[in-house]
Amino acid sequence: MLIVMAGLPGTGKSAVAEALGRELGAPVVSVDPIEAALWRAGVTRDQPTGLAAYLVAETVAEGVLALGQTVIVDAVNAVEPARSQWRSLAKRHDVWPTFIETVCSDPALHRRRLEGRSRDIEGFPEPTWEAVERLRAEFAPWTDVRLVLDTAIDLPTNTARALGFLIA
Ligand SMILES: Nc1ncnc2c1ncn2[C@@H]1O[C@H](COP(=O)(O)OP(=O)(O)OP(=O)(O)O)[C@@H](O)[C@H]1O
Ligand SMILES: [Mg+2]
């Protein structure tokens, strides 16, 4: 299976992805730490490191799919080109991409989580609430069938829902 997370920063993609990864024994390929690694390697921020990180993640995910194993991709996937990248990857491996979008229905809770967490990704600045609001305005509408999880609900409940969606 190819499982692809999507959603604004701080909505809980990584938390859900990691819970699913534990349940399924599947690797999580996360785009933000890859981009941070590119910066640490000296690739400058005027370079398209965001795109590069998505392509590196795709390459890693492709290797896992080639072994016939499940992989979870953890990325914002705000725009259509990003989403179609995963559709094409899935097609090449004869699987369906399962998209799981996280939203947080309580803006105050979303903001508290965003500003209260520490991801400890070396060299990666935490997005501000203003940046999240900007991205919300740019977040392209979806066409795909997907599971939308409201992370105002607790993580175990959402993890169980995701597992149910995956086997349905
Ligand atoms: N029910 C819940 N579901 C998901 N995350 C939760 C929940 N309750 C608390 N959190 C916390 O919310 C914070 C934000 O979640 P997370 O870092 O997974 O967001 P994200 O979507 O991966 O953001 P980014 O795109 O910036 O990586 C984390 O500290 C996470 O542990
Ligand atoms: Mg994350």
Side-chain angles (χ1 to χ4, degrees), residues 8-15 32 76 113 117 119 151 153-155:
L8 291 172
T11 53
K13 295 178 297 297
S14 300
D32 286 352
V76 172
R113 283 181 182 166
R117 76 177 171 177
R119 292 186 299 176
T151 57
I153 295 163
D154 66 280
L155 184 58

Side-chain angles (χ1 to χ4, degrees), residues 5-18 30 32-33 74-76 102-104 109-110 112-119 121 124-127 132 135 149-159:
M5 306 304 302
L8 291 172
T11 53
K13 295 178 297 297
S14 300
V16 172
E18 285 160 21
S30 190
D32 286 352
D74 178 19
V76 172
T102 52
V103 297
C104 184
L109 176 64
H110 182 186
R112 269 202 310 280
R113 283 181 182 166
L114 183 86
E115 294 175 345
R117 76 177 171 177
S118 166
R119 292 186 299 176
I121 309 176
F124 199 90
E126 290 296 344
V132 171
L135 196 53
L149 293 177
D150 180 356
T151 57
I153 295 163
D154 66 280
L155 184 58
T157 301
N158 276 330
T159 306

Side-chain angles (χ1 to χ4, degrees), residues 11-12 17-19 39 45 47 54 56 64 87-89 91 107 110 116 123 138-139 152 156:
T11 53
E18 285 160 21
W39 292 335
R45 288 172 197 234
Q47 296 296 315
Y54 272 77
V56 171
V64 180
R87 286 185 213 109
S88 306
L89 171 65
K91 208 167 180 186
H110 182 186
E138 293 163 14
F139 205 86

Side-chain angles (χ1 to χ4, degrees), residues 140-153:
W142 281 90
T143 50
D144 305 73
V145 174
R146 69 199 190 284
L147 175 68
V148 180
L149 293 177
D150 180 356
T151 57
I153 295 163

Side-chain angles (χ1 to χ4, degrees), residues 31 34-36 38-39 42-56 85:
V31 161
I34 294 174
E35 188 172 19
L38 292 169
W39 292 335
V43 184
T44 53
R45 288 172 197 234
D46 57 332
Q47 296 296 315
T49 51
L51 174 61
Y54 272 77
L55 294 182
V56 171
Q85 177 190 340

